[in-house]
Every structure is written in structure tokens, then in C-alpha cells.
Amino acid sequence: MNESDASEALDRAAAALPAAIDPERDLWPAIEACIVSKPASRPTPRAWPHPGWAGQLAAAVTLMAVASIATFMLVDRPQAPAQPDEQALAWADIWAEPARFGARDALSQEYLDARHALTTTLEQRLGALSPDTRALVVANLIEIRQALDAINVALAEDPDNALLQRLLLKTYQDEMYVLVNLNSTTQPIRERIEL
Amino acid sequence: MTAVSKPGVKSEPAEAITEMEQVRRAQQGDVAAYEALYRMHIGRIYALCLRMTGNRATAEDCAQDAFIRAWRKLAQFRGTSAFGTWLHRIAINEVLTRRRSAGRERAHMELVDNEQQITRAERRGNANEHRLDLEQAIAALPEGARHVFVMHSVYGYSHEETAGTLGVAVGTCKAQLHRARKLLRANLDA
């Protein structure tokens, strides 16, 4: 069989591969949790120890939209040198806080490693953003971390509260989503389109 | 062997009507309608993500985020193309957006269970086994060559569409396809 025939046979085999493959797990629950997240309309149980955290959580969940908009601004902005300010210092304190899941459960090492890697890369890239854009991104990330902290405090006091557990997990997922998006969209354009 | 369907192509008019109605409802905020759309398309979207990334976990993340992104952009869907085609585009962009994300390095696709991991020579003659060989060989391709081969040869995108989506020149696309075919033949003949 010559090269042309072999290529045609390969393409025929490729085109005949099954169009659909089902994932091993149902992705819908996570998708639904994300698309129906409207914390402002959620009832807030009075018994929860930190009523203020619900507002912070609402901010955290809606952050994704804000952060996504912000990331569109990042790519083409002129780059400016990093200038430490009060916000950056406050952020540095919060940023250093390790991820945790209440006082009883532990997060997987794989997740912690991925989160650390994304955070480190993002920190390096933040310095190249314009001051306004950096301030917007950092403000949003601070809100996410504060929400995580508030939920963790609540969960430490009520470790069997399934709703708190789900909300904490969801907020970590949101944080990861934002980190991945920020890391992706702050890559230099040339690097992103390189094949 | 299952015949491949090109992106967004529907086999039954009735299905298309139902799908359009579901899209219309989802655009009005009907989550149940969107779940129905998810059930209709998840297999194809996941297959696309799996072949583009070569990694199950990353493919699940990409498929999940593609449906989340599609929900947020649903108002922008005007029906000028099939919903499946529109979803395909979003999923491809999702794969390309996160391909360099830290901590998500590609691993080889694990399509074969341990008990099925027998030598290629023992498997010759069985169509399903050839398919698995091909899937694994595609997953093992370098990223650039894999993206081009999957989009062009598996899903039928033209060179111009593939190049445009990947942000490369058509010539680069053709070169990557040539490279992919050469590597695949070498892998499958080994």
C-alpha cells in the first residue's frame, strides 16, 4: 500500500470512529450547580453561625462573570510594571492561606498541587497587568478567598452540615474555574495560538 | 462500526424540531430543557474533548465547562447553524483555552481495561480492537498534530476551518496533518 492509499485508509478509519462516547460520570449535577447558582435568591437558614458569609458567597459565585469579563480586558492591555500597594499586601496575606475543607476533612493532594501551581503562575502574570486591571482581578480573588474562609469557619462549627459542605465544594470549584480562566487568558497571545 | 456524524448534523427532522424547542425553552431559562439538550449532546461533546485532549479527566472538565459556557452564551445562539455545531465550537475553544493550564498535563488515554490489555498481534482482525488501537494512537500524538487530525479527519472540518479555529496558517495545518498521519501509521504498524 502506498502512502496515499495508507492515508486514505487512515482517514476512513478515523471518520468511522464512534461519534459519541459517554463520560464515566454524569457531568450534569456539576453543570446544574453552576448554572443555577443565584445565591441572592437562596433562602439563608437562620441557624447558620455566620450570616454574613452568605453575602460573601454570593459575591464569590457571581465573581466568575466579573472575572471572565475582566480577562477579556487583560490580553490586549499595555503591560505595566508591578507596583506593590495596600491591596496587593492584603492579598498576599490571604493568598498564603492553604486550602482546607472544614476542620475534619482533607482536600486531595492533586487538587492542592494544581491550585498551588495555578496560583503561582497567576501571581507571576499579575505583575504584568495594568494597575486598574490588576486591582479588579485581585479584588475579585480576595472576595473568593474571604468567602472560602467564612464557609470554612462555619463548617468547622457545624461539620455535618451537608449544605455547607456542598457550598464550600462549589466555591472551591468556582475558584478553580476562575484561576484556570485567568491563567489561560493572561498567557501571551503568541503562546496561546501556537500549535 | 458506528457511522460518524458530522458536527451538528441531525438524523431525524423530528429530533431537530424537538431540539429547537428545547433550545428555545432553555433560552428562556428553563434548566430542565437545557438538561435535555445536555443529554442529547454530551456523548458527542465528550468524545470530541476526549480525542482533542487525550485525557479523560481533562475531557470531562472541558465538556462540563463547555456546557456551562454554552448556557451563559445561549442568548447569542440564533439558530443559523445547528445547535450541535455551535456546541462543538464552544467545546473546541474550551479545549484550546485550557490546553496549557498548569497541573493538567496530558496523559495517555486509557480506553482499555486491564484485562483487555493484550498484545496487538492477538487482537488483529477485530474491528473494535482496531478502533481502540486508533483511539490510543490518536491520544498519543503530539498536541498540535492531534488537534488537526481530530478536527479534520475525525470530525470533517476543512483545512480552512481547522486552521482558523486553531489560529494557525492553512499550510501549518496541512503539515501537521501529514505529520499526524505519518506518526499514526508508524504507531499502528509497530
Side-chain angles (χ1 to χ4, degrees):
Chain A
M1 188 183 291
N2 63 34
E3 187 172 331
S4 175
D5 290 342
S7 292
E8 285 180 17
L10 194 57
D11 279 359
R12 279 197 302 274
L17 289 172
I21 300 172
D22 289 329
E24 288 187 343
R25 63 185 175 91
D26 187 3
L27 307 179
W28 177 251
I31 294 169
E32 184 181 31
C34 201
I35 67 177
V36 301
S37 291
K38 300 289 182 190
S41 62
R42 283 179 180 167
T44 306
R46 291 180 182 177
W48 289 359
H50 290 271
W53 74 269
Q56 291 179 310
L57 178 65
V61 174
T62 53
L63 276 183
M64 286 197 298
V66 177
S68 297
I69 293 167
T71 54
F72 281 104
M73 301 161 56
L74 305 182
V75 179
D76 293 321
R77 285 293 186 93
Q79 297 188 345
Q83 294 178 357
D85 51 22
E86 288 184 15
Q87 185 195 44
L89 292 173
W91 178 63
D93 287 340
I94 293 173
W95 211 235
E97 280 291 311
R100 57 200 168 92
F101 204 91
R104 199 177 56 186
D105 299 308
L107 293 158
S108 75
Q109 192 58 46
E110 184 184 17
Y111 166 78
L112 294 173
D113 290 346
R115 184 177 187 262
H116 177 72
L118 286 168
T119 303
T120 304
T121 307
L122 183 60
E123 275 186 306
Q124 293 164 354
R125 290 184 183 149
L126 278 176
L129 301 177
S130 70
D132 288 349
T133 304
R134 187 172 65 243
L136 178 62
V137 171
V138 169
N140 285 324
L141 291 171
I142 285 175
E143 285 194 55
I144 290 183
R145 291 292 168 106
Q146 288 174 336
L148 286 168
D149 190 49
I151 302 169
N152 261 311
V153 169
L155 193 58
E157 295 182 20
D158 187 8
D160 294 321
N161 189 318
L163 183 55
L164 281 176
Q165 292 171 356
R166 284 201 300 273
L167 286 171
L168 185 56
L169 182 62
K170 175 66 174 54
T171 308
Y172 272 122
Q173 288 172 339
D174 288 349
E175 183 200 43
M176 182 61 80
Y177 184 84
V178 171
L179 286 173
V180 168
N181 268 350
L182 283 171
N183 272 282
S184 300
T185 52
T186 53
Q187 285 175 16
I189 291 176
R190 196 171 41 200
E191 185 182 344
R192 286 196 290 134
I193 64 175
E194 186 180 87
L195 190 63
Chain B
M1 194 172 285
T2 310
V4 70
S5 296
K6 296 307 175 191
V9 176
K10 303 297 172 297
S11 56
E12 303 242 348
E15 182 188 339
I17 292 167
T18 302
E19 180 181 84
M20 284 310 296
E21 177 60 18
Q22 300 285 23
V23 170
R24 191 188 62 75
R25 290 179 186 177
Q27 285 176 322
Q28 293 171 350
D30 185 337
V31 175
Y34 194 61
E35 181 179 1
L37 290 169
Y38 162 83
R39 303 285 172 206
M40 282 181 209
H41 291 281
I42 182 58
R44 292 182 183 195
I45 294 300
Y46 176 71
L48 170 71
C49 293
L50 184 60
R51 288 171 180 142
M52 289 285 280
T53 65
N55 179 274
R56 277 182 175 160
T58 307
E60 287 181 355
D61 289 348
C62 287
Q64 182 174 305
D65 287 349
F67 275 96
I68 292 168
R69 194 174 296 275
W71 168 263
R72 292 181 177 146
K73 295 172 72 175
L74 208 50
Q76 298 171 26
F77 177 68
R78 301 293 180 204
T80 52
S81 63
F83 183 70
T85 304
W86 186 72
L87 263 181
H88 251 245
R89 294 281 183 188
I90 291 174
I92 289 171
N93 286 335
E94 198 61 44
V95 169
L96 299 178
T97 296
R98 71 167 58 208
R99 66 182 174 177
R100 290 182 183 275
S101 296
R104 294 178 180 276
E105 291 299 316
R106 181 178 65 83
H108 294 301
M109 187 158 53
E110 300 161 357
L111 280 176
V112 187
D113 294 331
N114 286 338
E115 65 266 28
Q116 293 176 305
Q117 289 179 337
I118 51 180
T119 67
R120 184 166 290 137
E122 290 170 322
R123 296 199 255 155
R124 286 209 171 106
N126 183 308
N128 280 335
E129 288 156 2
H130 283 308
R131 180 180 72 74
L132 288 173
D133 283 345
L134 180 55
E135 296 273 26
Q136 289 182 316
I138 292 171
L141 285 173
E143 187 177 73
R146 187 174 67 249
H147 287 169
V148 169
F149 185 82
V150 169
M151 287 188 67
H152 181 275
S153 298
V154 179
Y155 289 99
Y157 287 93
S158 68
H159 276 299
E160 288 72 18
E161 289 172 318
T162 303
T165 302
L166 297 177
V168 298
V170 170
T172 305
C173 183
K174 290 180 178 177
Q176 288 284 21
L177 182 63
H178 178 75
R179 180 185 177 210
R181 286 170 173 160
K182 190 174 175 182
L183 289 169
L184 286 171
R185 286 201 306 271
N187 189 332
L188 294 170
D189 291 343

